Amino acid sequence: MLPSTKRLSRYIFTAFLASPGIKTVFNPLGTLKYKEGSGFRASVVISSKYEKRAVSRNKLRRRLYSLFEQYIKDFGGTSEYILYTSKQAPKLDYTQIKVLFNELLKKTTK
């Protein structure tokens, strides 16, 4: 899982959303908001409207944080990201999540 130093805190999260220069990309996994930053940080948001059980939300959140961790090991990103998962994301299996996650991050480099 991504270390807490690489995750967005609540204070930084609200400041991030209020700052200018945020770009957005979409796919069936969800919505990714990002901007170039001084270092890599990420956050994953899973609505309880889409998945009622906290166990399932936390499982998905851990999987997505591990994918972010693999991404920074492979590519060394310097952007800040917030991923809002879609309604169908909790129903996807890990291989589908991984493919959609990689597609989503490829869109950010265009």
Side-chain angles (χ1 to χ4, degrees):
M1 190 160 142
L2 198 62
S4 62
T5 57
K6 298 292 183 184
R7 288 183 258 155
L8 291 172
S9 67
R10 287 178 191 239
Y11 174 75
I12 296 171
F13 186 91
T14 55
F16 174 87
L17 292 176
S19 66
I22 296 175
K23 298 173 186 163
T24 307
V25 292
F26 307 94
N27 86 357
L29 181 62
T31 304
L32 183 69
K33 293 181 181 263
Y34 68 99
K35 72 172 185 171
E36 292 296 322
S38 58
F40 176 84
R41 288 186 181 231
S43 181
V44 176
V45 179
I46 303 167
S47 175
S48 61
K49 288 171 90 177
Y50 302 150
E51 180 57 52
K52 296 293 183 190
R53 296 176 46 224
V55 172
S56 299
R57 288 194 310 270
N58 291 336
K59 182 179 178 181
L60 180 60
R61 184 176 291 115
R62 284 191 303 271
R63 286 180 172 184
L64 290 168
Y65 277 137
S66 70
L67 290 173
F68 270 120
E69 187 175 28
Q70 289 175 3
Y71 172 74
I72 61 169
K73 285 181 181 176
D74 294 342
F75 301 106
T78 59
S79 299
E80 294 177 334
Y81 300 95
I82 295 179
L83 176 60
Y84 293 95
T85 59
S86 67
K87 189 174 189 173
Q88 62 194 9
K91 297 171 183 74
L92 299 172
D93 66 348
Y94 185 68
T95 55
Q96 293 172 327
I97 290 171
K98 192 172 184 177
V99 168
L100 290 172
F101 182 81
N102 289 331
E103 288 176 7
L104 201 56
L105 288 177
K106 282 181 186 175
K107 288 181 180 181
T108 64
T109 58
K110 290 182 179 180

